[in-house]
Amino acid sequence: MTDASALETELELAAIVAVADNGVIGRDGEMPWHLPEDLQHFKETTMDHPVIMGRVTYEGILEAIGEPLPGRTTVVLTSRELETPENAVVARSLEEALRKAETAAENRHGGVDTAFVAGGATVYEGFLPALDRLVVTEVDRDPAGDTEFPDWDRDAWTEVDRDERDGFAFVEYVREA
Ligand SMILES: NC(=O)c1ccc[n+]([C@@H]2O[C@H](COP(=O)([O-])OP(=O)(O)OC[C@H]3O[C@@H](n4cnc5c(N)ncnc54)[C@H](OP(=O)(O)O)[C@@H]3O)[C@@H](O)[C@H]2O)c1
């Protein structure tokens, strides 16, 4: 587990994830469901903010829409040499990803207060001790999958918002003070 003190930042750090009842978040590099409302929710929530993600998730987005998320700065965690367009930057460590998110928040997004952590599994796990907020789409399904959200101590988090929809819910948790 990551030492939270190594990941200190002035930014609010919020994970955004869609997770099934059985903890699954991905299968074969994709999400195991198609929920347009959730994609819209992700877009509205993250728009004009830095979004940190692992290389596999980044490549899944490139495959799906042909470019990094428009209107946001994607910070891609990878050990590989990656050519990125202007609205995406590469980071070699969680700490470097945070520093790049801070720079983007200040210089490109008008001083926004929040950076989003958008997966996948190891990236959520690495940032978990430093997260302030969880923006979770709870999907009422038990799909087969190969990627799961890491275990998190629910006693350490308080549910502050729940918006029930048909087959899923938009839920927010904040870390207990
Ligand atoms: N349901 C959801 O909300 C949600 C959200 C995100 C993703 N997903 C799903 O999750 C799956 C992908 O997740 P994943 O866990 O397999 O992959 P991932 O986290 O997207 O990417 C893993 C890669 O990120 C890089 N990486 C991770 N931590 C790093 C670190 N500390 N320093 C440097 N590089 C680091 C490495 O890239 P290199 O190998 O290049 O070094 C690693 O192989 C897909 O199925 C996707 O659809 C679902």
Side-chain angles (χ1 to χ4, degrees):
M1 183 178 281
T2 323
D3 175 5
S5 65
L7 300 177
E8 271 173 17
T9 174
E10 293 290 305
L11 291 172
E12 179 202 37
L13 211 48
I16 183 160
V17 62
V19 57
D21 287 340
N22 60 359
V24 164
I25 62 167
R27 181 174 64 220
D28 298 334
E30 299 177 354
M31 298 219 259
W33 47 72
H34 180 62
L35 292 175
E37 268 185 274
D38 181 50
L39 298 178
Q40 188 60 27
H41 169 75
F42 178 90
K43 182 177 178 182
E44 285 169 9
T45 306
T46 58
M47 187 52 72
D48 211 10
H49 288 79
V51 181
I52 302 169
M53 65 184 70
R55 193 254 315 157
V56 175
T57 299
Y58 174 72
E59 288 180 342
I61 289 168
L62 291 188
E63 207 164 294
I65 64 170
E67 58 174 339
L69 299 168
R72 287 144 281 188
T73 303
T74 301
V75 182
V76 190
L77 277 156
T78 184
S79 59
R80 299 187 183 183
E81 295 302 324
L82 273 193
E83 293 268 333
T84 53
E86 202 189 1
N87 61 342
V89 291
V90 163
R92 307 287 180 204
S93 67
L94 302 182
E95 291 88 336
E96 189 184 348
L98 268 188
R99 300 292 86 83
K100 293 205 167 172
E102 286 166 347
T103 302
E106 191 59 37
N107 296 344
R108 183 156 182 259
H109 300 294
V112 293
D113 296 329
T114 300
F116 289 94
V117 173
T122 52
V123 177
Y124 289 131
E125 187 168 18
F127 278 115
L128 192 55
L131 292 174
D132 303 295
R133 186 158 59 102
L134 305 177
V135 180
V136 186
T137 304
E138 296 182 353
V139 182
D140 304 339
R141 301 186 193 188
D142 291 306
D146 52 32
T147 317
E148 293 185 11
F149 195 70
D151 284 337
W152 52 292
D153 176 8
R154 285 173 186 259
D155 291 343
W157 296 83
T158 304
E159 183 181 312
V160 292
D161 194 46
R162 175 171 290 270
D163 178 2
E164 291 286 350
R165 303 294 176 97
D166 186 15
F168 61 94
F170 296 127
V171 191
E172 287 204 20
Y173 299 88
V174 294
R175 195 182 283 284
E176 290 279 325

